[in-house]
């Protein structure tokens, strides 16, 4: 059983739980179990929203409004140890695309796909500028710093 502030969710054969809190106390969580990878938002008002995306919470960044941008692996392979350990220990790498997720209703939409000429982009340490215009991240494959202009101009 996992207790996260004020709700209980039963998870069988859990291999991992990752949480990524926002500055206002809203949390995106990734739970990995024998049923696979699932993501949900737990709001500071007690509501829980299951998200249609499959990623690790640490591959998401909070915008200053009511959204997050998440790096979504195109393929999540089954590994011996399991996620998230295999990813953190470098045994697994992903080819990500970026998705915009509205945390009010849980809707997700594709946001950005990387040019295949660049090779796979396994996004980590993602941050969004306070004006929501820039996304900075590290490409895990070679530890290079990348900056992407989102074109988003307002928090809401």
């Amino acid at each position: 059983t996992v207790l996260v502030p004020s709700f209980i969710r039963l998870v069988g054969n859990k291999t991992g739980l990752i949480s990524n809190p926002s500055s206002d106390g809203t949390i995106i969580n990734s739970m990995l179990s024998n049923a696979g990878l699932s993501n949900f938002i737990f709001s500071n008002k007690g509501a829980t929203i299951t998200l249609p995306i499959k990623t690790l919470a640490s591959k998401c960044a909070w915008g200053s409004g009511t959204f997050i941008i998440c790096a979504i692996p195109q393929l999540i392979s089954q590994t011996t140890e399991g996620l998230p350990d295999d990813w953190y220990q470098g045994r697994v790498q992903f080819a990500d695309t970026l998705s915009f997720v509205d945390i009010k209703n849980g809707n997700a939409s594709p946001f950005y796909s990387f040019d295949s000429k660049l090779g796979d982009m396994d996004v980590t340490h993602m941050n969004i500028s306070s004006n929501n215009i820039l996304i900075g991240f590290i490409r895990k494959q070679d530890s290079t710093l990348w900056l992407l202009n989102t074109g988003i101009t307002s928090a809401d």
Side-chain angles (χ1 to χ4, degrees), residues 65-141:
T66 58
F67 72 93
I68 54 177
I69 302 286
C70 292
I72 311 295
Q74 294 176 29
L75 176 66
I76 299 176
S77 61
Q78 295 297 331
T79 56
T80 306
E81 178 83 12
L83 294 174
D85 294 347
D86 281 344
W87 184 73
Y88 284 121
Q89 294 172 14
R91 289 190 293 261
V92 171
Q93 290 188 354
F94 298 125
D96 295 328
T97 60
L98 301 182
S99 286
F100 178 94
V101 181
D102 182 333
I103 64 166
K104 288 182 179 177
N105 56 27
N107 291 338
S109 359
F111 180 71
Y112 189 82
S113 293
F114 296 100
D115 187 331
S116 61
K117 294 176 193 170
L118 299 172
D120 290 343
M121 295 292 243
D122 191 351
V123 174
T124 185
H125 297 92
M126 187 168 27
N127 286 290
I128 301 175
S129 63
S130 60
N131 61 5
N132 298 323
I133 295 174
L134 301 173
I135 297 175
F137 62 90
I138 302 291
R139 180 181 185 205
K140 190 173 182 188
Q141 287 92 331

Side-chain angles (χ1 to χ4, degrees), residues 37-48:
L37 178 62
S38 61
N39 297 100
F40 60 96
I41 295 283
F42 175 74
S43 79
N44 55 4
K45 296 179 176 81
T48 302

Side-chain angles (χ1 to χ4, degrees), residues 4-9 24-27 29 40-50 103:
V4 179
S6 63
F7 74 96
I8 297 173
R9 200 174 265 228
D24 74 356
T26 303
I27 303 168
N29 295 284
F40 60 96
I41 295 283
F42 175 74
S43 79
N44 55 4
K45 296 179 176 81
T48 302
I49 299 171
T50 301
I103 64 166

